[in-house]
C-alpha cells in the first residue's frame, strides 16, 4: 500500500517536472519531440500534457503587444526581474525637503529633532538604542547603561546638520539647563 502511494507520488513529480519543460523543448526541431516522447513514456500517457509554467513573466508595458520578440512570445526572465529591482534594491532615504512648496526654503526633518539634541559646539547627543524596549528582561545595570547619552560621530553630526535648518543650530539659554556645561568645548582641540 505504501509502495503504491510512493510510486504514484513519484510519477506525479516526474510528470510535473517534465511537463513544465516540454513546452520549451517543443520549440526545438528534434529535441522537443524526443523530450515529449520521453515524458510520455515516463508518465505512461499517450501525449505529454503541457502543464502550466512555474511562473508567469510580468510585462513591463502591461497592455501593449510585444513587438520586438521573436514569434510575439513572452519576454525573457530579465524583463520580469528588472521590474522587481526597485523594490529589492530600495535605497534608504532621508525625507529632506530642499525646497518647500509654500516658502521655497529647506525644511527640518522632524525625526532628527525628536531623537537627537544638538549642543552649541556642533556635537549631537543621542540615547543608546533600545533604552525603552523590553525593560522587563534587562538587569538594572543594563538599564542604567542604556539610559546614558552618547555623542554622535563626526559623519553623523554632519548629516544631522544637513537635515536641520539654522533655527535649530542657534544657542538657547534655558533656566537650569542640565546640558549647560556641555555646550562649550573646553580643553579639546577642534
Amino acid at each position: 500500500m505504501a509502495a503504491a502511494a510512493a510510486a504514484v507520488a513519484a510519477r506525479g513529480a516526474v510528470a510535473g517536472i517534465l511537463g513544465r519543460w516540454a513546452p520549451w523543448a517543443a520549440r526545438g526541431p528534434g529535441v522537443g519531440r524526443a523530450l515529449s516522447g520521453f515524458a510520455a513514456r515516463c508518465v505512461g500517457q499517450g501525449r505529454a500534457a503541457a502543464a502550466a509554467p512555474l511562473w508567469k513573466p510580468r510585462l513591463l508595458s502591461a497592455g501593449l503587444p510585444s513587438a520586438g520578440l521573436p514569434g510575439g512570445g513572452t519576454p525573457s526572465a530579465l524583463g520580469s526581474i528588472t521590474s522587481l529591482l526597485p523594490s529589492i534594491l530600495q535605497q534608504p532615504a532621508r525625507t529632506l525637503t530642499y525646497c518647500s512648496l509654500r516658502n521655497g526654503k529647506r525644511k527640518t526633518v522632524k525625526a532628527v529633532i525628536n531623537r537627537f539634541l544638538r549642543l552649541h559646539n556642533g556635537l549631537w547627543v543621542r540615547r543608546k538604542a533600545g533604552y525603552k524596549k523590553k525593560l522587563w528582561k534587562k538587569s538594572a545595570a543594563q538599564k542604567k547603561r542604556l539610559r546614558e547619552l552618547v555623542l554622535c560621530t563626526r559623519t553623523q553630526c554632519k548629516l544631522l546638520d544637513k537635515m536641520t535648518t539654522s533655527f535649530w543650530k542657534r544657542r538657547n539659554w534655558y533656566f537650569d539647563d542640565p546640558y549647560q556645561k556641555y555646550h562649550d568645548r573646553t580643553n579639546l582641540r577642534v
Side-chain angles (χ1 to χ4, degrees):
M1 188 80 173
V8 170
R11 179 182 286 182
V14 170
I17 292 169
L18 294 177
R20 287 191 182 99
W21 284 100
W24 285 289
R27 292 183 188 150
V31 179
R33 292 188 196 96
L35 185 60
S36 299
F38 179 69
R41 273 182 263 133
C42 288
V43 177
Q45 298 172 352
R47 280 186 65 117
L54 290 173
W55 54 275
K56 183 178 179 184
R58 289 195 292 163
L59 295 173
L60 294 177
S61 57
L64 301 175
S66 53
L69 299 170
T74 58
S76 65
L78 184 62
S80 62
I81 291 173
T82 53
S83 63
L84 295 174
L85 282 179
S87 62
I88 295 171
L89 302 174
Q90 188 69 32
Q91 294 293 322
R94 301 174 316 183
T95 54
L96 178 63
T97 304
Y98 293 103
C99 184
S100 65
L101 293 175
R102 182 167 295 199
N103 296 327
K105 297 180 183 177
R106 287 174 74 99
K107 293 179 81 173
T108 299
V109 179
K110 296 301 180 186
V112 172
I113 303 306
N114 296 335
R115 296 175 188 171
F116 298 90
L117 170 73
R118 187 181 190 276
L119 302 175
H120 186 65
N121 56 26
L123 295 174
W124 288 81
V125 181
R126 66 173 174 86
R127 290 284 187 140
K128 284 194 176 180
Y131 77 100
K132 53 185 177 180
K133 296 288 185 182
K134 299 181 183 175
L135 296 176
W136 56 271
K137 64 176 174 180
K138 294 178 181 171
S139 64
Q142 188 179 9
K143 286 191 263 191
K144 183 176 183 252
R145 282 194 305 272
L146 288 175
R147 280 195 302 265
E148 293 174 355
L149 295 168
V150 183
L151 291 174
C152 295
T153 63
R154 178 189 297 180
T155 309
Q156 291 168 342
C157 289
K158 284 182 184 177
L159 182 67
L160 294 169
D161 279 336
K162 290 176 188 175
M163 295 173 77
T164 52
T165 57
S166 58
F167 175 82
W168 300 99
K169 296 170 190 161
R170 74 192 194 286
R171 182 149 200 159
N172 289 317
W173 298 96
Y174 296 114
F175 182 72
D176 288 337
D177 186 9
Y179 303 103
Q180 181 63 43
K181 54 187 174 183
Y182 302 109
H183 282 295
D184 295 318
R185 293 176 69 149
T186 56
N187 298 327
L188 294 172
R189 286 186 305 166
V190 177

